[in-house]
Amino acid sequence: LSGWGAAETYEAALAAAGAPTYVIRPSGFYARQEVLDVLVALQAIHDPLDDRALFGFLRSPFVAVEDQTLVALRRDLGYPPRWPGLAKGERPTIADDDERERLELGVQLLEDHVALRDRVAVDRLVRSLLDQSGYVAHLGLLGAEGERAIANVRKLLRIARGMRRDGLAEFLQVMSRLTAEDEQTGEAPLRGEQDDVVTISTIHSAKGLEWPVVFWCDTVRGPSRRAGDPLLGRDRLVLKEPGVKATEQPERWQTLKAVIDREEEAEDRRLWYVVTTRAQERLIVSGLPLGLRAKVREGKGLSSPAAFLWQVLPEFDAVTGGTFAYAAADGREHTGVVRVADPGAAPLNVPKGYPAPEPIGEPAALAGPLPPVAVVPGNPRHSASEMLAFARCARRHWFRYVAGLREPPVERGGDEFIGAVARGNIVHDVLQHLREEDELDALLEDAIGRWDDAAPPPESTAGTRYREHLREEIALVSEHPEYRAIAELPDTRRELTFLHVAEGGHVYQGAIDLAAHGDEGYVLLDVKTPQCDRAQAERKAAQYAPQRDVYVRAAEAIGGRPVERFAFQFSRAAVQVSEAVTDAVRAEIAASLAARLERMAQAEPALTEHPWECRWCGYQRVGWCQGVKGEG
């Protein structure tokens, strides 16, 4: 083959015909599922506190628990990591007896091998894991594909055996590097090239090899070439004139293009020489379309091997069994035999005896088209910030979250201005990690480096004022008595991330700045950084209600307890706006979320009802949206 693109097609067709194959493929080993299964299992044994590796091991065929069990693990076993709870005997609520038994066996399997970790060589650890889990038996049930998978597992064992002096951590580091670098390691062959098999190879991989009979296949696939804007020759670089056709480019470009074309054609000829000289007794060239011969006679610019062969082969009648004579370069005479195949014949992958398809009846009797499926525009996963953006302006929300268009930047002030987004990110970042007052300066500088590339340097006058402004704003939050009353509770979680799968396929996600257990339910707090005063805070809290709705709904659905109180903490105003979450508030939240989702499904997003939103809208500034008129 000229490349690996059609290898699987030929391999499947030969397998359907009962012909075993041997593939000389130089890569693909580390991407095989069975290899990944073993490496994930070893990662879980190395570090069972890694929930990602733990869940991957439990879901893999080593244990084969269902997705619902993993959801129950995350739901019922508290905060990560989940392994300490499993090791102590804690189990999620699972109704199915077989599923509970699988989970129990998986936990025991992992416990046994964690105890063996670094006490036995890695290959022995893998062999024990395979024996106790029955993983190889699982592969054996997969038929021919399972045979290949078993061979790959054995190859991984041989690799591990060659690294017996290394511990599990060193072995996993090497495997991680080889996987990331796409190391050119081929899969384990099921058969040797000397067996009674059909060998599949690319021309490049066949260099230096010979066979009695060689099929040169896929000859209609031409080389992939594209003349880009720059042409790079061996000794010079020429840029293409923009907006000018290739045939009208300057002479210097045309000259270099001709040189490169001749070099590439010469390389093609060398490859074709390789493939034709691999055959010791017989060369069979397959796939020369008869229609291509007519195009070649018309002088069409075709560069595939099939087109070249139609130029050099002598004229002959395209009938099965026909012969033609030709002379080789050394003067020896040869005879070619023609076989014509009907492209409309039964496909190769249909087993013998398979019933012929029934003829199509009258068109009027055929089933009509299915009704169109209505798809809600945008992503069904909604963040708390997205819901707030929609409440402020449906059109702006559509540009950002449905069309996926980044908002053009809007210049808001001079050198000392701190962008609202940057300020919010920096304040939240510091509050998430701040525990002691003497950590503030280091945390602040780290956060500035992450969130504001345009921040003035600390040694400048502007940089000093910039940092003093942020320190003051952070202190107004962290030292506020009502904020500290929640932040200093023993079970308070900061930046508590969540993902809530709701009815109708909608998903809510976000991060709650502070979450804690109260007397009768959860207490939630969200920090806001607009530069407002105390009088404006109450009005702004009402504007932020869409975010409150998502936080309350998700916390109650995931945690299984009611939210008793929700608060917005306004940094610059140094005020906390708090409210009790009553049944009436919950009903209001449910109705508001349902109404927003219904409006999001509308094809024509409406303009904002709040004219001041247009003042700093990048989409309106560049003319993508006409905006609305009104007082800002």
Side-chain angles (χ1 to χ4, degrees), residues 174-330:
V174 172
M175 294 299 103
S176 177
R177 178 180 60 79
L178 295 177
T179 303
E181 294 176 357
D182 191 22
E183 179 67 19
Q184 297 295 298
T185 302
E187 298 178 36
L190 288 177
R191 300 170 182 88
E193 57 183 315
Q194 301 303 322
D195 294 338
D196 186 15
V197 295
V198 176
T199 301
I200 299 178
S201 171
T202 61
I203 300 174
H204 285 91
S205 299
K207 291 180 179 179
L209 303 176
E210 288 183 330
W211 294 271
V213 180
V214 169
F215 287 79
W216 185 5
C217 303
D218 206 21
T219 56
V220 292
R221 186 189 296 265
S224 178
R225 293 179 183 140
R226 179 177 178 271
D229 292 340
L231 283 183
L232 182 61
R234 297 183 180 182
D235 56 353
R236 60 192 183 279
L237 172 69
V238 177
L239 296 179
K240 188 177 182 180
E241 293 289 340
V244 180
K245 296 180 180 179
T247 55
E248 300 175 2
Q249 288 290 326
E251 182 179 355
R252 64 182 184 281
W253 192 90
Q254 300 281 5
T255 301
L256 182 55
K257 178 68 167 58
V259 170
I260 294 175
D261 286 346
R262 287 194 297 270
E263 291 176 349
E264 291 177 342
E265 289 172 4
E267 178 60 24
D268 292 340
R269 302 297 188 273
R270 284 189 285 270
L271 284 176
W272 299 346
Y273 173 80
V274 169
V275 68
T276 55
T277 55
R278 298 309 92 195
Q280 297 169 323
E281 301 172 8
R282 186 179 298 271
L283 173 67
I284 300 174
V285 182
S286 67
L288 295 177
L290 295 177
L292 187 61
R293 178 165 65 172
K295 291 184 179 180
V296 171
R297 287 172 177 170
E298 295 172 4
K300 297 291 179 65
L302 302 170
S303 57
S304 67
F308 173 77
L309 288 170
W310 278 128
Q311 297 175 33
V312 300
L313 286 174
E315 291 290 336
F316 56 82
D317 293 330
V319 294
T320 296
T323 61
F324 61 93
Y326 65 96
D330 59 5

Side-chain angles (χ1 to χ4, degrees), residues 345-504:
L348 291 174
N349 58 352
V350 177
K352 293 181 179 179
Y354 193 82
E358 295 292 332
I360 297 177
E362 291 295 326
L366 298 176
L370 295 174
V373 177
V375 179
V376 177
N379 192 329
R381 178 177 292 190
H382 309 292
S383 68
S385 299
E386 179 195 354
M387 300 301 281
L388 177 61
F390 180 81
R392 288 179 169 177
C393 178
R395 183 70 58 86
R396 194 175 186 183
H397 166 272
W398 185 90
F399 277 120
R400 183 182 305 171
Y401 294 98
V402 179
L405 298 173
R406 184 188 298 273
E407 183 171 357
V410 176
E411 184 64 36
R412 298 195 181 196
D415 295 338
E416 298 180 24
F417 178 78
I418 305 176
V421 175
R423 178 193 297 107
N425 286 332
I426 293 169
V427 171
H428 281 83
D429 194 329
V430 174
L431 289 173
Q432 178 185 357
H433 300 94
L434 183 63
R435 298 296 183 273
E436 302 294 338
E437 187 63 30
D438 56 5
E439 300 174 336
L440 177 57
D441 286 342
L443 291 173
L444 178 60
E445 208 57 45
D446 286 345
I448 292 172
R450 276 191 291 271
W451 300 109
D452 194 355
D453 294 337
E459 62 273 9
S460 65
T461 302
T464 300
R465 291 199 299 268
Y466 174 95
R467 286 159 177 79
E468 285 298 328
H469 178 93
L470 289 171
R471 286 192 194 93
E472 180 184 4
E473 190 145 343
I474 293 167
L476 287 172
V477 176
S478 63
E479 298 175 8
H480 193 280
E482 292 177 288
Y483 176 87
R484 294 180 60 146
I486 301 174
E488 294 178 358
L489 289 173
D491 64 342
T492 296
R493 293 294 301 275
R494 300 171 186 248
E495 286 293 314
L496 177 62
T497 59
F498 63 85
L499 185 75
H500 168 45
V501 182
E503 305 83 9

